[in-house]
Amino acid sequence: MEYEPIIGLEVHAQLLTRSKIFCSCATAFGEKPNTLTCPVCTGQPGSLPVMNRKAAEFAIKLGLATSCRIAPYSLFARKNYFYPDLPKGYQISMYEYPLAEDGFIEIVSQGEKKRVKIIRIHMEEDAGKLKHGETPETESFSYVDFNRTGVPLVEIVSGPDIRSPQEAGDYLRKLRSILQYLEISSGNMEEGNFRCDANVSVRPKSQKEFGTRTELKNMNSFRHVEKALEYEIKRQIAILEDGEEVIQETRLWDVNQGVTVSMRGKEEAHDYRYFPDPDLVPLKVEEKWIEEIRESLPELPDDKKERFVEAYGIPEYDAEILTSTKAMANYYEECVRLFPEPKTVSNWMMGDLLRELKRDEREIDQCPVTPKHLTEMLLMVKKGTISGKIAKDVFEEMYRTGEGPGKIVKDKGWTQIVDEAEIEKAIEITMQANPKQVEDYRKGKEKLFGFFVGEVMKQTKGKANPNLVNELLKKKLKG
Ligand SMILES: [Zn+2]
């Protein structure tokens, strides 16, 4: 039987406001523990929270960018549970009345366009952070740092529209890209300011109803999300094929073992006893404010992609990748400004540049090759100073050392040979070394021409101008 996975994702993204969501404490990362706290975010009796307007503005931006309807009236509730990193004993979060609903994100997955529904976007505060014995002296202790308590988050809940781990990855990358374009979140999963939980179930392809789902937690990179989903889908299919039933539960991804393990069952699920927070007034968003925010939206990935296709005449596939992050799009546009051959630039970026970055798991803003250097190199190829083949080596060297192409070509002596006498000499050496092949060629075995080109290029260490080699070889071989 063929099975189909049904996946929905819940993403928590930290908003880049300077102060926390309900007090004026700074949101800075990496400060000394418990130095960014006050009576409000540590939940002292008698303290009162006040909503951060900027946080609401950021969340509305995201709602608009994902085509959601912004609620004129939303409400914060208390989500009650005990945990040492939660000083109030409850988390303030929107529950029944979220800020934004009913939008979508368009993704391109394996060449196909697809819309993933956004059910809701709501705001909430982050909890603190537990630190378990990080030094030998504190090995047997756990500490709590409240600096993160009250940092604003948005939770983005997708519809159950995702059909493969790969699609889940595409959705997450697109969502992160939108957050980064809007400059409202850094979207860094490894640093924990972009977190993802997944709901996953499988069903026979012919079946309409969803199967029993499990919730996956503890995945802290895109790769882990994809791997955890792959594992969990296989696990659920194996259970169904054995004629058993999938149990509804929360499971943790174990990075080291590469498996998901049961964390808690349905019976142990928390009852959070939500109720409206009596200390906060409802968040009222007037139409005028929404329009102001809409006006301020920057060019988003989909619009930029469309513009790249039109303005630069590059294929949609190239444009999709080049606009996947704002930094990448900026890099591309800077290159095209310096060297106005959009397709050539795109080819180099999509080929050599992205391959190197991917291998080193680097982002484009960490790329050692600057747009200036890349385009200087392209100009050298265009002028014939270096061959396209040598350019590959120059690029690698630029990537490795961060040096400019001029210096590299000069130091390595990689300038293309355009001196006819020098090329003729190489041809003569080649012909003398291969008399049999010369004879065969002259008898009509023209296929051998490629062999001679290769040998001459070897003689000149790949530096001979290929057009000249072709031209002069033809003459010489004729005899
Ligand atoms: Zn505070």
Side-chain angles (χ1 to χ4, degrees):
M1 188 160 352
E2 239 194 292
Y3 291 91
E4 177 179 55
I6 309 287
I7 301 163
L9 299 175
E10 289 170 16
V11 171
H12 284 91
Q14 185 184 321
L15 294 174
L16 283 173
T17 54
R18 285 168 57 201
S19 55
K20 294 185 179 180
I21 186 166
F22 299 121
C23 63
S24 57
C25 292
T27 55
F29 182 77
E31 293 296 310
K32 211 167 159 250
N34 300 310
T35 53
L36 308 176
T37 58
C38 73
V40 175
C41 55
T42 53
Q44 307 300 318
S47 65
L48 283 172
V50 177
M51 175 72 202
N52 179 337
R53 188 182 166 89
K54 200 78 188 169
E57 184 191 317
F58 282 2
I60 293 168
K61 271 190 177 176
L62 179 63
L64 293 173
T66 52
S67 307
C68 282
R69 190 177 63 243
I70 308 297
Y73 174 100
S74 47
L75 201 59
F76 283 103
R78 290 185 181 181
K79 178 181 179 178
N80 299 281
Y81 66 94
F82 171 78
Y83 205 67
D85 66 5
L86 193 72
K88 292 197 294 286
Y90 59 85
Q91 179 194 21
I92 303 178
S93 173
M94 286 173 173
Y95 182 59
E96 272 178 286
Y97 300 95
L99 181 68
E101 284 179 289
D102 200 17
F104 65 87
I105 288 180
E106 192 171 273
I107 58 169
V108 179
S109 205
Q110 292 173 332
E112 297 277 323
K113 267 187 202 168
K114 170 171 185 166
R115 279 184 178 186
V116 176
K117 186 176 159 63
I118 301 295
I119 295 180
R120 58 187 269 154
I121 297 174
H122 66 253
M123 307 179 71
E124 60 187 32
E125 60 176 351
D126 208 347
K129 207 172 180 177
L130 291 183
K131 298 186 172 189
H132 305 289
E134 288 176 356
T135 62
E137 300 84 59
T138 63
E139 213 170 9
S140 53
F141 297 89
S142 284
Y143 294 82
V144 59
D145 176 7
F146 290 128
N147 281 356
R148 205 178 67 180
T149 310
V151 163
L153 302 176
V154 276
E155 180 172 341
I156 304 112
V157 182
S158 90
D161 300 339
I162 297 162
R163 291 291 174 272
S164 70
Q166 156 100 41
E167 262 183 38
D170 292 329
Y171 167 83
L172 290 174
R173 274 180 281 271
K174 190 59 172 280
L175 174 57
R176 181 181 63 172
S177 157
I178 293 170
L179 290 164
Q180 289 173 338
Y181 268 72
L182 292 170
E183 296 180 347
I184 60 171
S185 177
S186 61
N188 190 323
M189 221 169 171
E190 283 78 8
E191 281 175 16
N193 48 41
F194 186 88
R195 292 167 240 160
C196 171
D197 299 332
N199 287 304
V200 56
S201 64
V202 298
R203 67 177 173 194
K205 266 215 158 149
S206 53
Q207 184 182 307
K208 262 191 144 177
E209 302 81 41
F210 290 161
T212 306
R213 63 162 200 245
T214 59
E215 188 184 10
L216 303 185
K217 286 183 178 290
N218 200 35
M219 304 167 289
N220 51 16
S221 77
F222 289 146
R223 214 163 49 89
H224 286 153
V225 173
E226 291 182 28
K227 281 188 150 182
L229 283 169
E230 265 163 36
Y231 175 87
E232 182 60 16
I233 290 163
K234 274 191 200 141
R235 189 188 73 87
Q236 291 188 13
I237 290 174
I239 291 173
L240 295 182
E241 297 217 304
D242 283 349
E244 309 273 323
E245 276 176 26
V246 174
I247 300 166
Q248 187 178 338
E249 60 183 352
T250 302
R251 299 179 69 86
L252 289 181
W253 170 241
D254 183 329
V255 183
N256 299 322
Q257 306 287 325
V259 298
T260 63
V261 288
S262 180
M263 179 187 157
R264 61 167 179 258
K266 198 179 167 186
E267 312 75 46
E268 303 151 80
H270 298 294
D271 172 6
Y272 294 114
R273 294 175 296 121
Y274 281 97
F275 62 88
D277 192 308
D279 289 344
L280 283 156
V281 292
L283 175 62
K284 281 186 182 156
V285 182
E286 284 173 5
E287 199 55 39
K288 188 169 160 279
W289 194 29
I290 298 177
E291 285 320 306
E292 268 171 38
I293 295 171
R294 199 192 297 276
E295 301 270 295
S296 76
L297 289 181
E299 186 182 36
L300 290 163
D302 288 342
D303 299 330
K304 205 184 271 286
K305 183 174 91 181
E306 224 169 89
R307 179 169 65 80
F308 274 25
V309 171
E310 276 175 28
Y312 301 126
I314 55 173
E316 204 173 327
Y317 177 75
D318 293 29
E320 172 80 21
I321 292 171
L322 293 172
T323 56
S324 60
T325 67
K326 200 172 183 172
M328 179 105 72
N330 289 346
Y331 188 103
Y332 177 71
E333 291 206 281
E334 176 64 5
C335 286
V336 174
R337 193 180 66 78
L338 295 167
F339 185 79
E341 291 185 18
K343 184 60 184 150
T344 310
V345 172
S346 164
N347 288 347
W348 274 91
M349 281 184 67
M350 309 260 299
D352 297 64
L353 189 114
L354 282 183
R355 190 175 51 243
E356 296 283 344
L357 291 177
K358 199 171 177 191
R359 199 194 53 205
D360 295 347
E361 291 179 10
R362 276 179 171 162
E363 296 293 328
I364 189 117
D365 36 17
Q366 300 164 300
C367 180
V369 182
T370 61
K372 183 170 174 284
H373 286 165
L374 178 62
T375 51
E376 276 173 13
M377 186 197 81
L378 295 177
L379 195 63
M380 289 171 94
V381 178
K382 198 180 177 187
K383 281 185 174 166
T385 316
I386 55 171
S387 67
K389 192 167 166 293
I390 289 290
K392 299 253 171 203
D393 298 334
V394 174
F395 182 84
E396 248 178 53
E397 203 59 21
M398 291 199 296
Y399 187 86
R400 206 174 56 77
T401 63
E403 303 266 20
K407 183 175 179 338
I408 290 167
V409 170
K410 188 164 164 271
D411 288 356
K412 300 261 179 190
W414 279 347
T415 314
Q416 185 161 242
I417 302 169
V418 284
D419 177 7
E420 294 195 10
E422 205 174 326
I423 294 173
E424 276 172 357
K425 205 176 137 202
I427 291 174
E428 270 157 32
I429 293 170
T430 302
M431 285 170 66
Q432 272 163 22
N434 303 285
K436 173 90 173 68
Q437 280 85 345
V438 174
E439 207 188 312
D440 289 351
Y441 179 85
R442 286 180 175 159
K443 277 184 192 156
K445 209 172 167 191
E446 286 185 9
K447 270 201 306 199
L448 280 169
F449 190 75
F451 161 78
F452 287 110
V453 174
E455 289 300 303
V456 174
M457 291 311 276
K458 249 190 240 166
Q459 272 293 325
T460 57
K461 300 198 172 68
K463 294 191 297 184
N465 177 300
N467 293 336
L468 275 177
V469 171
N470 277 319
E471 192 185 309
L472 296 171
L473 246 180
K474 268 182 199 150
K475 256 192 236 164
K476 290 272 174 191
L477 283 170
K478 264 188 191 163

